[in-house]
Amino acid sequence: MLELAVLGNPIEHSLSPIIHNFFAKETNIQISYEKILVQDEFESFINTFKKHAYGCNVTIPFKEDAYKIADKLSDEAKIAKAVNTLLFKDNIIYGHNTDGLGLILDFKDKGISLLNKKILLIGAGGASLGILKPLFDSNILDITLVNRTKEKALYLRDYFVQEIKNTKDIFHVLSLDSLNNNLDLSFDIIINASASSLYNELPNISDAILKKAHCVYDLMYTKDGDTIFTKHCRELNVQHSIQGLGMLIRQAALSFELWTEKKVNTLSCEQYMLSYLKENR
């Protein structure tokens, strides 16, 4: 039996055990997957945990700590400087970041093409950094980053273009005022990577900008199937308004595949999770 877990603080809200147990049942693999509230220093906890576990997911606030303790890192983890999946094998700690790839897979399954698309990315925190490389790898046209503090957005952009060559000319930064005062701007896809929906607040983006988008995507998710952002955009008649449950499931599937070398059916898992959430509102 594979001993696995998701580590975080807080952690009670996590859906990861339900998702991974669904995958395990589908693939007929015996696992033990629990959610663990980590209150100790993260590295010391991992040093004990890895003696009997095979791997784990890592969530807020420990993704940067997981990055620091990993012996080997995937390319996505190196760029993001954050790890959401650890694998313990042959006395080596492998660190991966499956968040961005999970987002790309969800776009694909939802029928949203990223090829030659103009993207507006809201928020300059770790969530944005975790998805940038997979987005650029998807042959988009360009990305415009906005944040409440323009300086933070510029810092993230400058760091990223140093790490990933040939992105400088297609990675732009605007202040919120500049964005909202230029209503001629339009974007094919708008991604909310800020934490605004967690606080039931809308990002400060003009409706005139939002309603021109073909698709909006919120990395956050709720049991109701809509965040405040996706609900608002749906009311503006945006054609595709998607919350982040699909991304959560697909990044989990990539973690599960890393541990077990088994591919899973994320579409059936998403249907199951939507039913589960409706029953447990």
Side-chain angles (χ1 to χ4, degrees), residues 50-114:
K50 70 179 183 179
K51 293 176 182 177
H52 53 83
Y54 193 73
C56 61
N57 289 125
V58 182
T59 188
I60 295 172
F62 298 118
K63 291 184 180 184
E64 292 181 359
D65 295 283
Y67 165 82
K68 292 174 183 176
I69 68 167
D71 301 309
K72 293 189 177 181
L73 294 161
S74 67
D75 289 343
E76 288 76 19
K78 288 177 183 176
I79 296 298
K81 291 190 174 181
V83 160
N84 76 336
T85 305
L86 291 173
L87 167 66
F88 312 126
K89 190 174 181 180
D90 301 326
N91 293 318
I92 296 173
I93 300 176
Y94 294 89
H96 301 260
N97 191 314
T98 64
D99 286 331
L101 294 173
L103 173 64
I104 301 305
L105 288 174
D106 198 31
F107 274 128
K108 182 179 179 180
D109 285 344
K110 300 292 192 299
I112 308 298
S113 171
L114 296 173

Side-chain angles (χ1 to χ4, degrees), residues 29-72:
I29 293 176
Q30 296 295 311
I31 69 169
S32 168
Y33 190 109
E34 58 182 325
K35 44 190 173 185
I36 299 176
L37 177 69
V38 178
Q39 295 176 302
D40 304 327
E41 195 268 333
F42 187 78
E43 184 173 4
S44 62
F45 177 89
I46 289 295
N47 285 336
T48 300
F49 180 71
K50 70 179 183 179
K51 293 176 182 177
H52 53 83
Y54 193 73
C56 61
N57 289 125
V58 182
T59 188
I60 295 172
F62 298 118
K63 291 184 180 184
E64 292 181 359
D65 295 283
Y67 165 82
K68 292 174 183 176
I69 68 167
D71 301 309
K72 293 189 177 181

Side-chain angles (χ1 to χ4, degrees), residues 85-242:
T85 305
L86 291 173
L87 167 66
F88 312 126
K89 190 174 181 180
D90 301 326
N91 293 318
I92 296 173
I93 300 176
Y94 294 89
H96 301 260
N97 191 314
T98 64
D99 286 331
L101 294 173
L103 173 64
I104 301 305
L105 288 174
D106 198 31
F107 274 128
K108 182 179 179 180
D109 285 344
K110 300 292 192 299
I112 308 298
S113 171
L114 296 173
L115 180 65
N116 294 325
K117 295 298 190 292
K118 293 176 66 68
I119 295 179
L120 176 66
L121 180 59
I122 306 167
S128 287
L129 189 54
I131 65 176
L132 277 170
K133 183 180 184 299
L135 284 171
F136 277 110
D137 287 344
S138 300
N139 296 314
I140 59 170
L141 186 64
D142 61 34
I143 286 181
T144 298
L145 177 64
V146 293
N147 191 63
R148 283 184 299 176
T149 307
K150 185 180 179 182
E151 290 74 18
K152 187 175 181 182
L154 287 168
Y155 178 83
L156 187 151
R157 193 273 311 270
D158 290 345
Y159 162 75
F160 186 82
V161 299
Q162 285 179 348
E163 297 293 321
I164 303 294
K165 307 304 178 187
N166 302 320
T167 58
K168 184 177 182 180
D169 294 337
I170 56 174
F171 193 173
H172 318 292
V173 169
L174 281 177
S175 68
L176 283 168
D177 285 343
S178 296
L179 176 71
N180 289 325
N181 289 332
N182 189 350
L183 301 184
D184 290 334
L185 289 171
S186 64
F187 302 91
D188 301 301
I189 297 171
I190 299 176
I191 300 173
N192 182 19
S194 76
S196 60
S197 292
L198 281 177
Y199 306 103
N200 208 35
E201 297 174 354
L202 288 170
N204 184 22
I205 307 295
S206 168
D207 285 355
I209 297 287
L210 294 174
K211 67 184 181 182
K212 286 188 284 186
H214 171 68
C215 171
V216 299
Y217 196 107
D218 197 336
L219 301 193
M220 302 295 130
Y221 63 91
T222 72
K223 292 184 176 181
D224 297 323
D226 261 323
T227 66
I228 185 174
F229 178 67
T230 57
K231 183 175 185 292
H232 180 70
C233 291
R234 201 180 302 281
E235 291 168 350
L236 293 174
N237 295 315
V238 175
Q239 186 174 355
H240 300 281
S241 189
I242 306 168

